[in-house]
């Protein structure tokens, strides 16, 4: 299976331009599954909830999702991309999964980072796995990486590949994802952005690039530059993610001792 990551530098608020750019860059890139960044169509640094609201769209009925469905159908490709989702009065930092047959599903970011808490509602979708046929994929968004439970739940739910749209501003994620892939025995595809935003006199946010695809042992199969947009594709054997063996006597999932993990489910302070 050919999977890819698209690394962009969107112009804030220029949704049509950002979609057009993605379509232009990806049209001749042959893949089965392409992962695009978080908020790939709008940019990241909103000034208010109202601004986020004005740029958010319904999934799948909004124009961004419809454009990406058309593109996926034309290309015969699966696409995972991040965008602000509007659902009634609620705004989510969302991701959509679309494919040659149309809309497949969506995810709403669970762990909001910094000012995102002012712009978005906390995601209520929970972690989900989508069966694409050639692979089962799980979706998490950017800062979800900080919480190992995100990738663990996706892996336990059967994900072969973790698709990870991101707008990273912290430097540790790429390295942390090697552990997420290793401990769960899954491929991961982190699609980050480059460039910076300093809107409304706010301190600049510098996005860290270095999008990457990792194998089930956390090895880097391909990686992009820190500051340049780009796209990269690798061929993977999805079946490798179904073997959770570590040694002859150890297995990533079977060796877990969940009876000793109660603290994971306890609210803080109890
Ligand atoms: C982030 O979660 N976009 C830093």
């Amino acid at each position: 299976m050919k999977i890819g990551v698209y690394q962009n530098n969107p112009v804030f608020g220029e949704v049509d331009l950002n979609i057009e750019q993605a379509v232009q860059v990806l049209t001749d890139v042959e893949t089965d599954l392409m992962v695009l960044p978080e908020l790939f169509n709008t940019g990241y640094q909103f000034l208010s909830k109202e601004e986020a609201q004005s740029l958010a769209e319904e999934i799948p009925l909004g124009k961004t999702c419809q454009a990406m469905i058309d593109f996926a159908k034309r290309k015969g490709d699966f696409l995972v991309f991040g965008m602000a989702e509007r659902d009634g009065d609620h705004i989510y930092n969302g991701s959509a999964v679309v494919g040659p047959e149309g809309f497949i599903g969506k995810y709403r970011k669970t762990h909001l980072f910094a000012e995102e808490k002012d712009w978005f509602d906390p995601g209520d979708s929970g972690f989900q796995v989508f069966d694409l046929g050639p692979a089962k994929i799980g979706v998490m968004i950017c800062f979800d990486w900080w919480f190992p439970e995100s990738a663990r739940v996706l892996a336990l739910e059967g994900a072969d590949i973790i698709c990870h749209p991101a707008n990273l501003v912290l430097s540790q994620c790429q390295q942390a994802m090697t552990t997420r892939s290793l401990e769960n025995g899954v491929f991961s595809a982190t699609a980050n952005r480059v460039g910076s935003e300093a809107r409304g006199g706010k301190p600049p946010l510098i996005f860290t690039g270095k999008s990457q695809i990792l194998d089930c042992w956390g090895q880097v199969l391909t990686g992009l530059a820190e500051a340049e947009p780009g796209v990269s594709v690798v061929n993977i054997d999805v079946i490798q993610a179904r073997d959770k063996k570590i040694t002859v006597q150890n297995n990533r999932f079977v060796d877990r001792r969940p009876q000793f993990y109660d603290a994971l489910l306890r609210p803080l302070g109890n």
Side-chain angles (χ1 to χ4, degrees):
M1 184 178 187
K2 276 190 173 168
I3 67 172
V5 282
Y6 168 63
Q7 178 164 292
N8 70 347
N9 186 4
V11 179
F12 189 91
E14 298 292 333
V15 171
D16 292 341
L17 176 76
N18 297 327
I19 296 172
E20 176 58 36
Q21 208 161 49
V23 167
Q24 202 171 33
V25 170
L26 297 177
T27 289
D28 293 326
V29 180
E30 207 186 296
T31 46
D32 302 299
L33 168 67
M34 178 61 73
V35 184
L36 293 84
E38 177 183 18
L39 299 167
F40 93 98
N41 60 335
T42 57
Y44 181 81
Q45 196 180 38
F46 299 100
L47 297 181
S48 64
K49 192 173 183 86
E50 291 68 37
E51 188 179 55
Q53 224 145 11
S54 73
L55 285 166
E57 301 173 25
E58 288 183 24
I59 298 177
L61 295 178
K63 72 173 176 180
T64 297
C65 203
Q66 289 299 312
M68 297 307 274
I69 289 170
D70 285 350
F71 184 47
K73 285 182 176 174
R74 275 202 312 279
K75 209 163 174 287
D77 208 351
F78 293 100
L79 307 171
V80 179
F81 51 93
M83 56 174 283
E85 183 198 1
R86 185 171 59 233
D87 181 6
D89 291 336
H90 297 283
I91 309 287
Y92 299 99
N93 186 342
S95 278
V97 182
V98 304
E101 309 288 326
F103 179 67
I104 293 169
K106 60 182 159 185
Y107 165 68
R108 294 167 169 168
K109 188 174 184 177
T110 304
H111 305 99
L112 297 176
F113 179 72
E115 279 194 308
E116 290 176 30
K117 293 185 178 191
D118 299 333
W119 314 326
F120 297 117
D121 294 290
D124 60 357
S125 61
F127 295 103
Q128 296 173 46
V129 170
F130 303 100
D131 190 349
L132 305 185
K136 292 182 178 174
I137 65 161
V139 183
M140 62 186 213
I141 300 177
C142 206
F143 191 52
D144 284 330
W145 72 267
W146 192 284
F147 303 87
E149 294 86 354
S150 313
R152 178 62 104 197
V153 168
L154 289 172
L156 287 171
E157 294 286 357
D160 304 309
I161 306 167
I162 290 182
C163 299
H164 185 209
N167 272 195
L168 294 161
V169 293
L170 302 177
S171 61
Q172 301 94 339
C173 172
Q174 288 84 345
Q175 199 179 354
M177 286 305 293
T178 65
T179 306
R180 299 289 101 82
S181 270
L182 175 71
E183 65 199 0
N184 292 300
V186 292
F187 295 90
S188 64
T190 297
N192 194 16
R193 62 161 289 182
V194 296
S196 64
E197 289 178 0
R199 302 189 61 246
K202 291 191 197 188
L205 292 174
I206 298 164
F207 300 98
T208 60
K210 295 185 181 172
S211 297
Q212 62 183 16
I213 300 174
L214 308 179
D215 72 9
C216 305
W217 291 89
Q219 309 215 62
V220 180
L221 299 175
T222 185
L224 287 167
E226 188 171 349
E228 300 294 321
V231 55
S232 193
V233 176
V234 290
N235 224 327
I236 64 165
D237 181 4
V238 173
I239 295 303
Q240 289 173 2
R242 312 243 166 120
D243 179 3
K244 301 302 182 188
K245 192 165 81 250
I246 302 169
T247 69
V248 172
Q249 287 152 306
N250 296 103
N251 180 288
R252 289 167 172 92
F253 288 175
V254 177
D255 283 12
R256 295 171 68 249
R257 310 284 309 278
Q259 67 271 36
F260 298 117
Y261 303 163
D262 285 356
L264 290 177
L265 295 177
R266 227 180 277 143
L268 205 61
N270 290 349

